[in-house]
Amino acid sequence: AMDFLQDLSAAALVTGTAIGGGFLALPHAVAPAGFLPSAAVMTLCWLVLLVQAYLCIDLICVTRNEPCSQASNRGYWTLARRAGGVPAQILVGTIFLCLVVATLVSQIAKIAEILASCSIPYWAACAATAGIFTLFTPA
């Protein structure tokens, strides 16, 4: 029963990560291109996410029975190192950092856009939003 709950938790985490705000906005972004190009782009995105999920599942299953310690966890960073060495670890870390920064910038920009509609200068709204996000960042 405990393994099932851990598997369910991992599946929910991967699903929540894959279906983020950007992915939900993708149909709206590609719609002006028309149905067929939009369907092709959406299918390509789905295939990329599917391959990524299968690669993660494979690596997790391979390392599932290995002992886990504080120094060696089973995050993407460790899985990448086990799969492709240090170059893969650096690549995955860089891609993950870019994803996190892009997500943060898009959230700050959208919140600032909403605040700017309330007669607050856009630059001030961006600064205030970034400042508020900073309050929730652990030191």
Side-chain angles (χ1 to χ4, degrees):
M2 190 62 163
D3 283 342
F4 174 74
L5 290 177
Q6 288 176 341
D7 291 345
L8 185 62
S9 175
L13 179 64
V14 170
T15 302
T17 303
I19 305 177
F23 190 74
L24 293 175
L26 196 56
H28 178 72
V30 298
F35 177 75
L36 290 178
S38 297
V41 168
M42 294 296 293
T43 302
L44 178 66
C45 290
W46 175 77
L47 285 171
V48 168
L49 288 173
L50 182 66
V51 168
Q52 179 263 340
Y54 280 142
L55 288 172
C56 288
I57 289 169
D58 184 51
L59 287 171
I60 290 168
C61 288
V62 166
T63 61
R64 182 177 209 155
N65 295 325
E66 293 179 8
C68 186
S69 67
Q70 293 285 68
S72 173
N73 59 27
R74 290 186 183 94
Y76 284 120
W77 184 259
T78 305
L79 292 174
R81 186 181 67 242
R82 289 181 183 162
V86 175
Q89 185 179 23
I90 291 170
L91 177 67
V92 167
T94 302
I95 291 171
F96 187 73
L97 179 63
C98 290
L99 175 66
V100 169
V101 170
T103 301
L104 184 60
V105 167
S106 69
Q107 290 173 351
I108 289 173
K110 191 60 175 177
I111 292 171
E113 183 181 311
I114 292 169
L115 291 175
S117 68
C118 300
S119 301
I120 298 173
Y122 184 74
W123 66 269
C126 285
T129 304
I132 291 169
F133 280 1
T134 303
L135 294 175
F136 295 104
T137 304

